[in-house]
């Protein structure tokens, strides 16, 4: 009897251990499921996009393979293609949530913080002051100061609403090293003095609110909800602001500039009622005071102690739904190639959205997420449209924005890398950076990029990039110093290290294609490489050099696909 009781106790103990183990496994599984669950915003995006596919009877392209998707997300999130080691690590991962894990790593891992911040500071520097802004010695804008402010902001993951408030309301010096340095002033410092601050008016409303007002400066536009009165009411917010300049001794070169607020007496000379005048096309004069786009008025006084107009503008902007919609539209376009409107910075009834409910819902969700840009990036990169292959076929031939159709996002739209992405990709993939200090390498990078920018000198500060397949671009990529560094055979170079890696010439060739194009070579490409090897007298280094030169000069390399 005692033996039976002992066995019974032992059995209960074993069952207890087993049940405890099963419970632990269940809890771990639940925790893992919670960690890897798709954010509800992603489901919302997918449902909305898929409904449009059903409405138009479109069948989307298939999902892109892992290597291509890895290359895609590296380019979009941190501004360069992955190295061979990074790509291999991702390809070896067998977990179901590997894509979500990679997005999280690029956004949250300290190893990528600097690259993330550099990439997005470059994007926003070009957006806020242009690619040529701050490059002329007579320019009030300090490009380094603008980049420093944005780099620091993205590195700390400063919320978008805070960035907008600071950029619109900033005061101080735009030059790093000054006692009152505030890099945010470089957005407006070159836009407030000329033409009564009209460039500041049009830039702030367009970039942050998606409202194109420049055409209404001189007359009402029949296709724009904004009217001339609205333009000058918005302009009135900038009339307390001036940019002061300090010159290099004995020259007309700008040493530094400072953005300041000061009392505004109004155009009638009465600061207590600081109005401004504008002229209608028929010659009549009308009066304007600071009134926000939704009709909200602020105090009419021009005295700073009564009202700081730019601070009030920044506060009112943060309450506008257009602030939310505009950044969602801009970021969606950055990752998918097209926004919900064309152009992306023109919102309103006169320019209907392709997916109005989705744009509205995403804007509200972004506000609920406290304007966390990394969350918005996560939602977009994990959404179904971002996973699709760049295939236009019979099943989705209606989805062709290049001929004027509204985008349906049933495929990934091919687009060219920016010049900055190409530079960073060549440096990362083949260690093509020049020699010298960081400052010297940065100066070399700027010289390389400056070759592709053409400034038009219009009132809007328009410019264009010639990084579009032109002859100068082709010559630079064929023979430039960056390409020579990328294809060098010197000891320790990318080609030299590659030639001493792998198990066979075929393996090394595969590594070359995976590094540049995130795919393996085709049978034809392998055959061409074999012929090149024979033509080079069996010198594998020279063969690899020839193939790599062809890869980095190919359309496939410079495309985001």
């Amino acid at each position: 009897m005692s033996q039976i009781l002992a066995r019974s106790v032992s059995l209960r103990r074993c069952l207890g251990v087993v049940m405890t183990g099963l419970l632990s496994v269940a809890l771990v599984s639940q925790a893992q499921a919670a960690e890897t669950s798709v954010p509800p915003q992603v489901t919302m995006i997918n449902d909305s996009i898929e409904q449009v596919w059903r409405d138009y009877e479109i069948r989307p392209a298939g999902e892109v393979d892992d290597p291509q998707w890895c290359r895609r997300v590296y380019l979009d999130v941190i501004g360069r293609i992955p190295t061979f080691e990074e790509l291999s690590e991702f390809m070896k991962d067998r977990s179901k949530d590997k894509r979500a894990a990679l997005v999280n790593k690029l956004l949250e891992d300290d190893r990528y913080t600097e690259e993330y911040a550099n990439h997005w500071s470059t994007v926003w520097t070009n957006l806020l002051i242009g690619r040529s802004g701050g490059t002329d010695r007579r320019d009030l804008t300090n490009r380094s100061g603008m980049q420093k402010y944005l780099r620091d902001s993205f590195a700390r993951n400063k919320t978008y609403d805070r960035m907008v408030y600071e950029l619109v309301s900033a005061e101080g010096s735009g030059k790093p090293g000054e006692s009152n340095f505030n890099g945010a002033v470089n957005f407006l410092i070159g836009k407030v003095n000329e033409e009564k601050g009209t460039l500041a008016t049009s830039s702030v409303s367009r970039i942050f609110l998606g409202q194109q007002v420049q055409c209404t400066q001189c007359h009402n536009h029949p296709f724009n909800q904004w009217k001339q009165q609205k333009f000058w009411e918005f302009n009135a917010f900038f009339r307390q602001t001036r940019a002061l300049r300090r010159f290099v001794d004995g020259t007309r070169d700008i040493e530094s500039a400072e953005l300041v607020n000061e009392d505004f007496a109004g155009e009638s000379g009465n600061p207590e009622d600081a109005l401004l005048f504008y002229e209608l096309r028929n010659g009549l004069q009308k009066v304007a005071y600071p009134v926000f786009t939704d009709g909200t008025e602020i105090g009419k006084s021009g005295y700073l102690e009564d009202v700081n107009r730019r601070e009030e503008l920044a506060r009112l902007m943060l309450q506008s739904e257009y602030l939310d919609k505009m950044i969602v539209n801009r970021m969606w376009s950055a990752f998918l190639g097209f926004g919900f409107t064309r152009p992306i910075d023109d919102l309103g009834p006169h320019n209907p959205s392709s997916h109005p409910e989705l744009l509205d819902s995403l804007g509200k969700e972004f506000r609920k997420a406290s304007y966390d840009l990394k969350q918005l990036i996560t939602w977009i990169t994990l959404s179904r449209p971002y996973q699709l292959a760049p295939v236009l076929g019979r099943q989705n031939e209606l989805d062709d924005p290049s001929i004027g159709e509204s985008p349906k996002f049933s495929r990934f739209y091919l687009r060219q890398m920016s010049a900055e992405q190409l530079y960073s990709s060549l440096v990362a993939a083949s260690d093509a950076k020049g020699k010298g200090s960081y400052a010297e390498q940065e100066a070399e990078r700027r010289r390389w990029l400056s070759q592709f920018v053409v400034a038009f000198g219009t009132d809007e500060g328009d410019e264009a990039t010639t990084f579009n397949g032109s002859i100068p671009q082709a010559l630079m990529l064929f023979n430039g110093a960056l390409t020579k560094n990328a294809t060098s055979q010197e000891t320790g170079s990318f080609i030299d290290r590659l030639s001493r890696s792998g198990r066979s010439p075929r393996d090394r060739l595969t590594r070359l294609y995976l590094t540049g194009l995130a795919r393996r070579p085709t049978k034809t490409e392998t055959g061409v490489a074999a012929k090149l090897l024979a033509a080079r007298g069996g010198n594998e280094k020279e063969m690899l050099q020839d193939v790599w030169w062809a890869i980095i000069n190919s359309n496939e390399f410079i495309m985001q696909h």
Side-chain angles (χ1 to χ4, degrees):
M1 186 69 176
S2 59
Q3 290 179 343
I4 294 173
L5 287 173
R7 287 174 182 170
S8 177
V9 171
S10 177
L11 181 60
R12 284 198 300 271
R13 286 175 178 169
C14 290
L15 285 172
V17 170
V18 170
M19 292 302 292
T20 301
L22 289 174
L23 181 59
S24 299
V25 170
L27 290 173
V28 169
S29 299
Q30 289 175 7
Q32 289 176 340
E35 289 176 4
T36 61
S37 60
V38 175
Q41 294 83 359
V42 176
T43 302
M44 180 188 73
I45 292 172
N46 294 344
D47 290 345
S48 181
I49 296 291
E50 289 167 8
Q51 182 59 53
V52 172
W53 296 342
R54 288 191 291 271
D55 292 344
Y56 283 89
E57 298 182 348
I58 286 175
R59 193 165 75 244
E63 192 173 288
V64 74
D65 63 26
D66 282 339
Q68 293 283 307
W69 185 88
C70 179
R71 184 184 195 268
R72 178 184 298 177
V73 80
Y74 264 85
L75 260 177
D76 281 337
V77 175
I78 64 171
R80 64 165 174 85
I81 63 175
T83 63
F84 175 76
E85 291 74 21
E86 290 168 329
L87 183 63
S88 298
E89 181 183 352
F90 179 71
M91 291 169 64
K92 290 174 185 175
D93 189 347
R94 294 291 179 261
S95 59
K96 290 183 178 180
D97 65 336
K98 60 191 291 186
R99 295 191 177 188
L102 178 57
V103 171
N104 185 69
K105 181 169 75 170
L106 293 176
L107 292 174
E108 303 297 345
D109 194 311
D110 290 344
R111 290 174 296 173
Y112 295 101
T113 298
E114 184 177 354
E115 288 184 287
Y116 170 82
N118 284 340
H119 170 58
W120 287 103
S121 68
T122 296
V123 171
W124 278 88
T125 296
N126 292 340
L127 174 64
L128 296 174
I129 63 174
R131 281 186 165 85
S132 58
T135 58
D136 190 288
R137 65 180 185 274
R138 293 162 297 180
D139 199 335
L140 299 182
T141 305
N142 186 294
R143 193 172 189 85
S144 296
M146 184 84 267
Q147 289 175 320
K148 176 172 173 48
Y149 166 78
L150 290 168
R151 257 197 323 271
D152 292 347
S153 297
F154 284 110
R156 297 199 303 268
N157 196 30
K158 184 181 292 182
T159 59
Y160 178 71
D161 60 330
R162 187 67 209 169
M163 286 175 59
V164 171
Y165 186 91
E166 291 174 353
L167 288 164
V168 173
S169 65
E171 297 178 70
S173 171
K175 184 179 180 181
E178 298 276 321
S179 59
N180 61 339
F181 168 67
N182 181 357
V185 302
N186 286 292
F187 168 50
L188 290 177
I189 207 165
K191 300 180 176 74
V192 294
N193 281 5
E194 305 299 324
E195 299 295 326
K196 300 179 179 180
T198 54
L199 184 54
T201 306
S202 59
S203 295
V204 169
S205 60
R206 175 180 58 81
I207 292 171
F208 299 120
L209 300 175
Q211 296 176 336
Q212 301 261 5
V213 303
Q214 60 271 20
C215 293
T216 64
Q217 175 182 342
C218 303
H219 60 275
N220 292 329
H221 197 286
F223 305 115
N224 197 319
Q225 70 191 64
W226 271 49
K227 302 303 178 186
Q228 194 176 3
Q229 177 78 14
K230 285 284 188 185
F231 178 91
W232 290 105
E233 288 174 343
F234 200 80
N235 172 263
F237 284 100
F238 299 97
R239 302 299 280 274
Q240 285 177 322
T241 307
R242 278 174 53 83
L244 308 178
R245 65 193 75 192
R246 189 157 58 239
F247 296 99
V248 176
D249 290 342
T251 74
R252 298 298 295 172
D253 295 351
I254 303 295
E255 181 181 0
S256 64
E258 182 178 356
L259 194 66
V260 299
N261 288 327
E262 59 185 19
D263 293 338
F264 173 53
E267 294 182 345
S268 64
N270 178 14
E272 292 182 353
D273 186 43
L275 54 78
L276 58 89
F277 298 105
Y278 68 94
E279 187 174 326
L280 300 177
R281 296 187 75 175
N282 60 13
L284 292 177
Q285 295 276 322
K286 291 203 72 174
V287 171
Y289 294 98
V291 181
F292 191 58
T293 59
D294 62 1
T296 302
E297 300 180 20
I298 66 169
K300 297 178 180 179
S301 173
Y303 287 118
L304 282 171
E305 63 181 17
D306 293 335
V307 57
N308 184 315
R309 292 186 174 188
R310 270 199 301 138
E311 286 185 358
E312 287 299 306
L313 172 62
R315 181 183 62 80
L316 289 166
M317 286 174 63
L318 299 194
Q319 299 172 15
S320 173
E321 64 176 316
Y322 284 98
L323 181 82
D324 313 343
K325 291 181 180 180
M326 185 58 243
I327 183 58
V328 164
N329 205 29
R330 186 178 301 285
M331 294 297 283
W332 184 271
S333 175
F335 284 86
L336 274 301
F338 286 93
F340 298 117
T341 63
R342 285 196 288 178
I344 60 170
D345 49 11
D346 190 7
L347 307 178
H350 62 284
N351 190 27
S353 165
S354 60
H355 298 71
E357 292 88 2
L358 179 56
L359 178 58
D360 184 62
S361 298
L362 268 178
K364 291 176 179 176
E365 290 298 316
F366 186 52
R367 182 178 285 261
K368 288 179 188 176
S370 302
Y371 293 98
D372 186 340
L373 285 166
K374 288 186 177 181
Q375 285 201 47
L376 181 57
I377 290 172
T378 300
W379 302 341
I380 295 173
T381 52
L382 296 184
S383 70
R384 190 178 176 194
Y386 193 77
Q387 317 302 314
L388 301 178
V391 177
L392 177 63
R394 291 175 59 186
Q395 75 278 6
N396 64 346
E397 59 187 358
L398 286 175
D399 189 5
D400 192 356
S402 66
I403 60 173
E405 294 288 339
S406 64
K408 314 297 189 300
F409 306 106
S410 66
R411 61 188 175 95
F412 190 82
Y413 304 114
L414 291 172
R415 63 183 186 274
Q416 186 172 294
M417 286 185 195
S418 68
E420 291 87 354
Q421 285 174 320
L422 175 60
Y423 188 95
S424 297
S425 295
L426 284 173
V427 168
S430 50
D431 195 25
K433 62 179 180 292
K435 296 178 174 60
S437 66
Y438 171 81
E440 291 170 333
Q441 291 176 26
E442 181 61 19
E444 180 181 315
R445 174 180 176 273
R446 287 187 181 182
R447 283 194 297 272
W448 190 86
L449 293 172
S450 68
Q451 300 169 89
F452 301 114
V453 180
V454 178
F456 295 132
T458 67
D459 291 340
E460 291 300 310
D462 293 335
E463 60 185 17
T465 174
T466 57
F467 186 67
N468 54 9
S470 61
I471 291 176
Q473 175 191 327
L475 291 174
M476 177 53 55
L477 294 181
F478 285 173
N479 305 306
L482 186 64
T483 301
K484 290 178 180 177
N485 288 342
T487 57
S488 170
Q489 293 187 48
E490 290 182 6
T491 302
S493 68
F494 168 65
I495 294 295
D496 177 61
R497 297 195 309 273
L498 179 67
S499 68
R500 292 183 277 107
S501 66
R503 296 183 298 271
S504 66
R506 186 184 186 90
D507 183 44
R508 288 185 279 276
L509 181 70
T510 298
R511 290 189 179 211
L512 201 62
Y513 273 85
L514 284 170
T515 300
L517 306 177
R519 65 168 176 82
R520 299 177 183 278
T522 64
K523 185 176 180 180
T524 300
E525 289 165 340
T526 301
V528 169
K531 291 178 181 178
L532 275 173
L533 185 60
R536 291 296 190 180
N539 188 323
E540 188 183 339
K541 255 192 183 183
E542 292 189 357
M543 179 273 287
L544 292 172
Q545 182 185 48
D546 290 341
V547 173
W548 185 234
W549 183 93
I551 286 174
I552 64 178
N553 280 286
S554 68
N555 285 334
E556 188 176 356
F557 181 79
I558 66 171
M559 297 299 287
Q560 169 61 306
H561 46 73

